[in-house]
Amino acid sequence: MCAVERWVFVRVLVVEDDASLGQVVQRGLAEAGHSVDLERTLAGARRAVAIGTYHVVVLDLGLPDGDGLALCRELQTAAVRPRVLILTARDATGDKVLGLDAGADDYLTKPFDFAELAARVRALLRRPEHARSPQLRVADIELDPAAHTVRRGGVLVPLTAREFSLLHYLMDRAGEVVTRTDLLDAVWDTNYDGLSNTVDVHVANVRRKLDLPGRPAPIETVRGVGYRIGPEVPT
Ligand code: CA
């Protein structure tokens, strides 16, 4: 034993509507030394993550009041993003792809062996804070694709998943004019037939969130064509 040993509690949220399975997972992870909360609904899980800071969320997808994937996506823009391990009966490749693309760090299908779940939670906790992929930077705006975060002047800017994708696309092409059609194809699906001003509305929202007093977001409207993000603040 070290002379000075600090216990760092790992906080885990288990979201599982099957009461007995939830209790088994909760008890097992608690025996592994983690501090574990259990929620049985999407609404309960949302409340829990709003008030608590979790290192890992073990997330069932089929919940009585909605799809766990929604929470998975929401967590991507959280200020402190927990690692998400999806634990579900949905075992099709397409479902796994959906889950991982929604930001999950791992995906385990039911039925499962508890020893494997515990090992996967340990593996998540060993991971470096974020597997680094290149950060994008335009002026004082930084976008981190791995962490799914946007900062302006170092301050976190909360964006919805759609707004994040939109800004990501613009920043990837900084200095270029991006048309509304490009954005619709890239950020919405190609057969999206919503209102024609959808792109403008979302760009306006991104701008509003990025604007600082005296420093508007450097997103320029190219009249009749689209948008361009660049290092110079438009006047
Ligand atoms: Ca379920």
Side-chain angles (χ1 to χ4, degrees):
M1 280 278 182
C2 306
V4 178
E5 185 159 355
R6 283 184 60 218
W7 285 97
V8 178
F9 283 102
V10 170
R11 297 197 62 202
V12 180
L13 175 65
V14 175
V15 185
E16 173 62 66
D17 62 317
D18 179 322
S20 57
L21 178 59
Q23 279 163 14
V24 167
V25 172
Q26 181 179 34
R27 200 176 316 126
L29 290 175
E31 280 167 11
H34 307 317
S35 164
V36 189
D37 293 336
L38 175 62
E39 291 291 342
R40 293 185 183 152
T41 61
L42 193 55
R46 282 189 171 124
R47 274 195 300 275
V49 297
I51 56 176
T53 302
Y54 294 96
H55 300 89
V56 175
V57 176
V58 176
L59 182 62
D60 182 23
L61 296 184
L63 295 167
D65 55 342
D67 193 319
L69 278 180
L71 179 68
C72 186
R73 291 197 189 93
E74 287 157 25
L75 288 171
Q76 303 315 307
T77 48
V80 181
R81 192 178 79 84
R83 316 271 157 80
V84 178
L85 186 156
I86 289 178
L87 181 60
T88 178
R90 297 180 196 168
D91 60 357
T93 302
D95 288 318
K96 294 177 187 172
V97 169
L98 270 180
L100 294 168
D101 279 350
D105 299 278
D106 199 0
Y107 196 107
L108 182 59
T109 53
K110 300 170 183 171
F112 64 100
D113 190 321
F114 183 79
E116 182 176 359
L117 173 65
R120 284 173 183 255
V121 169
R122 288 196 298 277
L124 286 181
L125 293 168
R126 279 198 304 270
R127 276 196 202 171
E129 202 46 43
H130 298 294
R132 285 284 149 202
S133 57
Q135 294 212 9
L136 300 176
R137 186 185 302 262
V138 174
D140 59 353
I141 301 170
E142 292 164 13
L143 183 146
D144 187 332
H148 231 263
T149 55
V150 172
R151 288 186 160 76
R152 181 154 198 211
V155 178
L156 201 68
V157 179
L159 296 181
T160 66
R162 190 82 77 187
E163 292 162 358
F164 182 89
S165 302
L166 193 155
L167 183 62
H168 191 181
Y169 193 84
L170 284 173
M171 287 179 72
D172 238 357
R173 292 155 187 79
E176 297 173 25
V177 178
V178 174
T179 67
R180 285 179 181 78
T181 313
D182 291 340
L183 283 168
L184 267 181
D185 284 350
V187 180
W188 284 262
D189 61 57
T190 39
N191 34 21
Y192 180 81
D193 57 356
L195 299 170
S196 59
N197 69 346
T198 298
V199 172
D200 305 300
V201 169
H202 279 78
V203 170
N205 289 339
V206 171
R207 272 196 180 122
R208 184 172 45 74
K209 290 183 177 180
L210 287 173
D211 277 348
L212 294 174
R215 279 195 295 154
I219 300 173
E220 184 189 347
T221 304
V222 182
R223 207 171 290 279
V225 183
Y227 297 97
R228 171 167 52 205
I229 192 166
E232 288 90 35
V233 175
T235 49

